[in-house]
Each structure stands twice: as C-alpha cells, then as structure tokens.
Amino acid sequence: METVTSESIEKKYRVWIIILSVAIPVVVAILFGIKLKDLGFDVEPLYFLPPIYAGINGLTAVVLITAVMAVRRGKLKLHENLMKFAITLSCLFLAMYVAYHMTADSTVFGDFNHNGVLELSEQNKVGFSRYIYLFILLFHIALSIIIIPLVLLTYVRALSKSFYRHKKLARITYPLWLYVAVTGVIVYLMISPYYNY
C-alpha cells in the first residue's frame, strides 16, 4: 500500500511534470524557428554538434539498457545513478540540438540518383528512402514529446519510493525512450550525407 509520504511527493511534482511536459516541446519549437543571425548575432553555424548529439543519443541507449540490466540484477544504486545519467544526457542532447538549429539552416533530405551521385532536385526528393526517413523521423519526434512526462513521472515514482508503480510505468517508458534514443542515431545517419558544411 502507498504511504502518505509517497503520494504527497508525487502530488507535489505533478504540477511541474505537466508544466515541463508542455513547456519543453513548445520552447524547442519556438527556438527551432529562431536563427541567431536574424537577431543580429554574428555566429557561425555549429556544424560540429550533430555528430556529438547523435553520439549522445547512442550513449543514452547504452545507458538505458545497462540500467535495466542493473536493476534486474538487484543493483539498485547503480540503476538509480544510470537513470540520472540518462536524464542528464537527454537534457544535454536537447541543449545541443536547439543550439545547432539556432545557428544553422535545416537540412533537407535528398536522395542518391541511379549513379550513386547526391542529388537534391525536386523530383528526386520523393525517393523511397525519403519516405522511410520521414516515417522514422515522424515517430521519433512524436515519441520524444510523449516520453517527457513518462520519464518525469517514472522518476518521481522512484523518488517517492513508490516502486511498484514505478516499475509498472517503467515498462512503458523504457522501450519508448530506448526507441527515441536509437532512432535519433538512425535519423542522424540518414540525414548526415545531406548536411551542407
């Protein structure tokens, strides 16, 4: 049975979970459309960031898998530390992602022609690989928004020592978060040939 303390802790954080779950996607969407050069800042595009934040996504996936293995082996403190690290990595990714898009134009996914030459013509942008890319990207973005409240609530349930409810929600949160992390790397690998460095 839940203690009053665990219920009160979760209730205390519920408002913050709602605020952050709405504010993060809205702020990212707004900042995504703002270019620092348009605001008068003379900044060079941060072209070095995409491979770094793709690597962070990959590392997040490894950390999540390791954290699940740790909890299954009864290493609860290691699990806790790894999950805090995964949350930190996700925040770091978000900061780098926004910084990159505030300094560089969005990259358009093209396709390779039948000779293997990179081609960004209008008629070639509808190639089969583009549809695969857009499908993966769409679900990646949608789940990256959905995962915010799930991660926060799962974490708060652990913080409040409501471990039964934590575990129940973690069974949903973990695969979705892992999907977001892995597809972040896939999206980068698919779009990287089209970056205009």
Side-chain angles (χ1 to χ4, degrees), residues 33-110:
I34 295 173
K35 298 292 181 251
L36 292 177
K37 283 193 174 186
D38 295 342
L39 299 175
F41 295 97
D42 186 26
V43 292
E44 291 297 316
L46 302 175
Y47 290 131
F48 64 92
L49 285 180
I52 295 172
Y53 62 67
I56 287 172
N57 265 328
L59 181 58
T60 301
V62 171
V63 169
L64 289 172
I65 293 167
T66 308
V68 168
M69 288 172 28
V71 78
R72 286 180 180 164
R73 293 177 180 155
K75 298 179 179 180
L76 302 182
K77 190 61 181 174
L78 177 60
H79 172 76
E80 178 187 346
N81 290 336
L82 287 169
M83 293 313 300
K84 287 178 182 175
F85 185 42
I87 291 170
T88 302
L89 287 171
S90 292
C91 293
L92 189 58
F93 161 83
L94 196 57
M96 288 184 181
Y97 180 79
V98 168
Y100 171 74
H101 284 284
M102 289 182 75
T103 62
D105 292 327
S106 292
T107 303
V108 177
F109 187 92

